[in-house]
Amino acid sequence: MPFNSIFAWVIKKRLHQIELFRKYPEDVQNELFEKLIEQGCQSKYGKEHRFHQITSYQDFKQLVPLNNYDSLKPWIDKLMSGEQHVLWSQETKWFAKSSGTTSDRSKFIPVTRESLEDCHYKGGKDLLALYYENFPNRKLYKGKHLIVGGSAQVLPVSDNSYQGDLSAIILKNLPWWAEIRRTPSREIALMSEWEEKIEKMARSTIEEDVYIIAGVPSWTLVLARKILAITGKKHLREVWPNLELFMHGGVSFEPYREAFRELIPFDDMHYVETYNASEGFFGIQDVDGSNELLLMLDYGIFYEFIPMHAFKDTESTEIYSLEQVELDEEYALVISTNAGLWRYIIGDTIRFTSKSPYRFRLSGRTKHFINAFGEELIVNNTDFAITEACSKTNAIIRDYTVAPVYMDGNTQGKHEWLIEFDRAPNDIGRFMHLLDESLRSINSDYDAKRTKNLALGKPLLHVLKSGSFDNWLQKKGKLGGQHKVPRLMNSREIVEQILQETDFETIQYA
């Protein structure tokens, strides 16, 4: 039987299971909760926190504390030293190195066989299943799937234990049905030096029949432009005539949409967003053209939610289960998983747009926001404003970050923007005006603080020279793959570091 027919059969079976948690989300989560507790009982963590006494969600909340990485680190350290059955009942031998850039200290997230198979790999299959649901009779499995992964170097931690980027762990354990269609070769995918890797990826995939690309938008753009430079072609369909799908995640796609439109100027090119991380695979865009993600409820992850107005990290006391959430409220995401992350605050924030089924939008990070003057600026706000300003001034950005300029005796408070453009605006002053006005239109707190420049002055822009953000990431040892510059920070640490290391032009719009 042809691979495409086998794949179509698997897809149809999975769509039936997805429909079950769309219709019965609370039942699916409750059943999963019971299975997690049953498995967790046999771990050292479960024994210490009396999992055997847990018969309800209320018991769980009373007996098991909220965790962040710091509170789980002693348990993870035990795992990395070679102990087993510490956080989970089964063997844990993989550790995903966190892609965070706000700290020089790396985080190592445990990955189990169960989390690989029932979460990360299931997410990849479901992404294609939902694509087939929207576009029946596709034949994606006839061609190659170009995966623009992270640094795939794997290093030993102890006897029979290993650490590396999540993409490295996935690549090392990839099921056969995915490996036979993946490109580039494993040798190239395992490379850690990104400039050489991009060159070899481009040259090795030019002659392939690529149907799907998967990756972070910024690095996929770098690869695509390298391919066009090598081939002399005008757009990617001249290189890969059957290219039809880009699966993306890691950052908002909106600031990059126009750049991809220029690289692939066809209405039948499709884009599907995902929300996955080292800790798990959480959401997939299941409706074509939507900016909402379906919460994936049968991946071995039990969800809880902390409303951001009551967020106090691990000291939070207002914590909801799935059926208790409200629409358009911002929540910090809390997960308990089949990798042994118990009541773990992942650091991302979401807003639900639907409860039947449960769909949401990523809104930002619990630490990546600016509230220096009561403006409560989140990443969704700045991504929207950047997209609006770029669209109306024919600009394309490479990346950006923002921090506050705090008031002192001589300086008015304001926001300081560092932007690297792939194509500069046709009118930089108008770009800044549009950016500011867009933020005022969607964020009433920002608008109030900007009124008459009383509490918050006009934003300041530094246009960085090409490659500035990559150079900063490279110095941090975090160039490539899922690594990214934090978009918003209350601290000035990152903007100060970047401005000291690069050339820039300062714009203060009138």
Side-chain angles (χ1 to χ4, degrees):
M1 183 182 294
F3 281 127
N4 213 68
S5 299
I6 296 173
F7 193 67
W9 177 82
V10 172
I11 290 300
K12 290 176 182 177
K13 180 180 178 181
R14 182 56 191 156
L15 283 174
H16 173 70
Q17 295 168 332
I18 292 173
E19 192 59 28
L20 284 177
F21 74 70
R22 278 172 168 161
K23 289 182 176 179
Y24 309 105
E26 289 87 3
D27 291 341
V28 169
Q29 274 283 278
N30 290 337
E31 182 179 344
L32 189 149
F33 171 76
E34 292 175 1
K35 290 180 179 178
L36 286 176
I37 297 303
E38 182 181 356
Q39 289 282 344
C41 278
Q42 303 170 50
S43 69
K44 295 173 184 176
Y45 185 90
K47 291 173 182 176
E48 180 168 314
H49 291 87
R50 296 181 289 167
F51 276 29
H52 65 281
Q53 295 181 16
I54 296 174
T55 60
S56 67
Y57 174 55
Q58 289 304 316
D59 292 340
F60 186 58
K61 290 174 71 173
Q62 290 174 6
L63 292 172
V64 183
L66 289 171
N67 283 299
N68 55 25
Y69 186 78
D70 287 337
S71 61
L72 275 187
K73 186 176 185 297
W75 299 89
I76 294 172
D77 287 345
K78 290 180 181 180
L79 280 169
M80 296 186 74
S81 70
E83 284 190 49
Q84 287 297 339
H85 313 300
V86 175
L87 288 168
W88 186 244
S89 59
Q90 304 298 319
E91 182 183 47
T92 305
K93 68 176 184 178
W94 294 98
F95 299 89
K97 190 175 180 179
S98 168
S99 61
T101 56
T102 58
S103 171
D104 290 330
R105 186 188 66 182
S106 295
K107 298 178 181 179
F108 295 93
I109 306 301
V111 178
T112 63
R113 173 57 61 182
E114 289 84 355
S115 65
L116 273 177
E117 293 182 353
D118 296 335
C119 184
H120 294 291
Y121 292 149
K122 186 183 283 189
K125 286 185 287 186
D126 285 357
L127 195 155
L128 295 177
L130 291 166
Y131 183 74
Y132 272 70
E133 183 180 46
N134 285 309
F135 303 99
N137 303 316
R138 312 309 296 177
K139 298 189 182 298
L140 294 176
Y141 219 70
K142 289 178 64 178
K144 286 299 183 79
H145 304 173
L146 171 56
I147 311 300
V148 188
S151 173
Q153 186 179 24
V154 172
L155 300 173
V157 175
S158 60
D159 292 342
N160 202 36
S161 292
Y162 310 90
Q163 63 94 351
D165 282 4
L166 179 66
S167 56
I169 296 169
I170 288 176
L171 182 64
K172 286 287 189 180
N173 296 276
L174 208 62
W176 66 269
W177 55 265
E179 181 64 27
I180 61 173
R181 287 297 181 230
R182 186 190 57 78
T183 190
S185 69
R186 180 168 291 196
E187 179 185 5
I188 294 173
L190 286 169
M191 293 177 64
S192 297
E193 206 291 306
W194 265 85
E195 292 178 337
E196 183 183 1
K197 182 175 181 175
I198 288 289
E199 178 79 22
K200 290 194 173 183
M201 284 183 73
R203 294 190 181 278
S204 70
T205 57
I206 287 171
E207 302 301 326
E208 299 281 12
D209 186 12
V210 173
Y211 279 50
I212 302 173
I213 303 175
V216 175
S218 54
W219 277 105
T220 304
L221 281 175
V222 173
L223 174 62
R225 287 169 177 155
K226 174 65 71 173
I227 286 170
L228 295 184
I230 292 171
T231 61
K233 305 295 185 183
K234 293 181 179 179
H235 56 73
L236 286 182
R237 282 273 180 88
E238 290 185 343
V239 181
W240 301 313
N242 294 308
L243 178 64
E244 66 169 274
L245 174 62
F246 177 42
M247 307 183 298
H248 58 86
V251 296
S252 170
F253 186 62
E254 289 309 312
Y256 302 98
R257 191 176 295 278
E258 183 58 33
F260 275 88
R261 178 70 185 178
E262 292 188 357
L263 289 171
I264 316 164
F266 298 93
D267 292 336
D268 61 348
M269 181 66 192
H270 300 291
Y271 302 89
V272 176
E273 183 177 359
T274 65
Y275 171 29
N276 62 315
S278 299
E279 297 86 350
F281 203 121
F282 309 118
I284 299 174
Q285 177 189 330
D286 66 324
V287 177
D288 181 48
S290 171
N291 59 359
E292 302 168 304
L293 302 178
L294 178 69
L295 188 64
M296 310 307 288
L297 297 175
D298 65 348
Y299 282 12
I301 300 171
F302 178 74
Y303 292 100
E304 297 175 88
F305 308 90
I306 304 173
M308 282 304 293
H309 66 77
F311 183 76
K312 299 176 183 177
D313 202 53
T314 57
E315 300 301 314
S316 302
T317 57
E318 196 173 329
I319 306 136
Y320 300 153
S321 59
L322 185 64
E323 60 265 30
Q324 295 174 294
V325 300
E326 301 292 340
L327 301 185
D328 297 320
E329 174 81 39
E330 188 171 19
Y331 295 101
L333 195 60
V334 182
I335 59 173
S336 296
T337 78
N338 51 9
L341 297 175
W342 298 107
R343 305 199 77 199
Y344 185 82
I345 301 171
I346 190 174
D348 291 331
T349 60
I350 68 172
R351 289 177 182 265
F352 283 97
T353 57
S354 166
K355 294 182 67 172
S356 182
Y358 283 93
R359 293 194 180 99
F360 67 94
R361 295 174 186 163
L362 275 165
S363 57
R365 298 276 295 171
T366 56
K367 295 182 179 179
H368 293 188
F369 60 88
I370 299 178
N371 194 29
F373 313 101
E375 65 273 47
E376 297 188 11
L377 202 66
I378 61 175
V379 173
N380 263 12
N381 298 159
T382 54
D383 278 346
F384 174 84
I386 279 280
T387 302
E388 286 288 292
C390 283
S391 174
K392 294 175 181 177
T393 60
N394 197 33
I396 295 175
I397 72 154
R398 174 70 171 88
D399 215 334
Y400 75 89
T401 191
V402 193
V405 176
Y406 286 96
M407 301 176 185
D408 61 26
N410 302 309
T411 304
Q412 183 183 28
K414 65 184 73 172
H415 289 168
E416 189 169 15
W417 289 71
L418 278 60
I419 302 179
E420 184 180 328
F421 290 101
D422 277 338
R423 184 170 67 215
N426 51 31
D427 184 334
I428 193 69
R430 182 166 180 260
F431 174 89
M432 287 302 294
H433 175 76
L434 290 167
L435 183 71
D436 188 35
E437 289 302 306
S438 293
L439 287 175
R440 297 186 70 166
S441 71
I442 61 172
N443 185 320
S444 59
D445 292 311
Y446 178 86
D447 181 53
K449 303 304 179 292
R450 283 283 295 112
T451 299
K452 297 183 180 180
N453 299 320
L454 291 178
L456 189 61
K458 293 180 178 180
L460 177 68
L461 168 64
H462 301 301
V463 179
L464 306 187
K465 71 174 184 179
S466 179
S468 295
F469 285 118
D470 287 351
N471 290 338
W472 181 78
L473 286 169
Q474 190 168 40
K475 288 183 178 180
K476 290 284 186 179
K478 297 178 182 295
L479 183 64
Q482 297 287 329
H483 301 304
K484 48 190 177 289
V485 177
R487 293 273 165 93
L488 303 181
M489 293 292 289
N490 256 344
S491 160
R492 290 188 51 79
E493 177 184 0
I494 290 174
V495 298
E496 296 288 359
Q497 289 176 2
I498 295 173
L499 290 176
Q500 288 175 10
E501 297 170 0
T502 190
D503 295 330
F504 55 88
E505 178 186 1
T506 300
I507 309 292
Q508 176 72 68
Y509 86 92

